[in-house]
Amino acid sequence: MNKSLFILVFIFSSVSIFGQKFQKVVIENMDGSTKTGLVNGKSLSDSKEIKFKTDENSKVEPILKSSVKSIDFYSSNDKIYHIDNIFLTNEKKTKTTSEWMLKLISGYYDLYIIADYSFDKQGNLTLSTDYRVGRDLPEFYYFIKKPSEKYADIFALYSPSPTYFGLHKILKESVTKFMSDDKALVDKVEKKKLSTKNIEQIVKEYNEYKSAN
């Protein structure tokens, strides 16, 4: 994990939770059309819809999550946070769900993180730990997906807790499964030269490897 994201992950303040309610956005719909306006960032936690307004004085318009492909959130200092509506399936591929995921890297594999999202008064995004699976320890889920594919795959888990065991094993299995042709990269992960603290670097290195081969 790079330094900027590491800092971002550990900013937990009441300002970020109770800050600006509606955020400037550009929404891309599943049909390719776009819509500019404001979205309540907290409504990303709703499993069915988001709260949208065309401007500060307009009425709230619920938009079905299923109709949205992605949302670009804009901060007051021109940062853009791209959040995609990503589809997932269970192991037996008998059930499909979708989750809002923040895109971290684009390339041969796009890398995403799933967490709880909130915005401060300047519109800066804060990631907080995801407890939705019922665990007591803080954890962040990383997914990868080729741009041409519909579904994302779990790639790694990260936790700042020193008592959360087994995370490197998950990462090593994923690198072996999805990146086996890059022997040097697999070796680095197996020898723990790269770990769950280097998830972005791992995906960047593999994308660079694919570009060069």
Side-chain angles (χ1 to χ4, degrees), residues 165-203:
F165 303 110
L167 299 185
H168 191 79
K169 180 182 178 182
I170 295 171
L171 174 64
K172 184 172 67 174
E173 290 175 350
S174 292
V175 171
T176 301
K177 178 180 179 180
F178 297 108
M179 304 173 176
S180 60
D181 53 331
D182 189 347
K183 305 298 183 184
L185 181 61
V186 172
D187 185 65
K188 287 180 185 178
V189 175
E190 287 182 344
K191 293 179 178 178
K192 295 188 176 181
K193 293 180 180 179
L194 294 175
S195 68
T196 54
K197 294 181 180 180
N198 312 110
I199 294 171
E200 288 189 58
Q201 181 181 342
I202 290 169
V203 176

Side-chain angles (χ1 to χ4, degrees), residues 20-45:
Q20 184 173 331
K21 192 171 183 179
F22 280 82
Q23 182 78 15
K24 180 183 176 182
V25 299
V26 174
I27 295 174
E28 181 181 359
N29 297 309
M30 290 294 184
D31 62 7
S33 62
T34 59
K35 181 179 292 189
T36 301
L38 305 169
V39 162
N40 184 328
K42 291 183 180 180
S43 66
L44 290 175
S45 62

Side-chain angles (χ1 to χ4, degrees), residues 60-72:
V60 174
E61 171 191 344
I63 297 179
L64 289 176
K65 178 183 178 183
S66 59
S67 69
V68 178
K69 181 179 180 182
S70 66
I71 307 176
D72 283 336

Side-chain angles (χ1 to χ4, degrees), residues 22-26 38-44 50 70-75 78-83 100 102 117 119 123 125:
F22 280 82
Q23 182 78 15
K24 180 183 176 182
V25 299
V26 174
L38 305 169
V39 162
N40 184 328
K42 291 183 180 180
S43 66
L44 290 175
I50 57 172
S70 66
I71 307 176
D72 283 336
F73 286 85
Y74 291 79
S75 70
D78 297 325
K79 289 183 180 178
I80 302 175
Y81 303 99
H82 183 84
I83 296 180
W100 297 113
L102 175 67
Y117 311 114
F119 297 88
L125 176 65

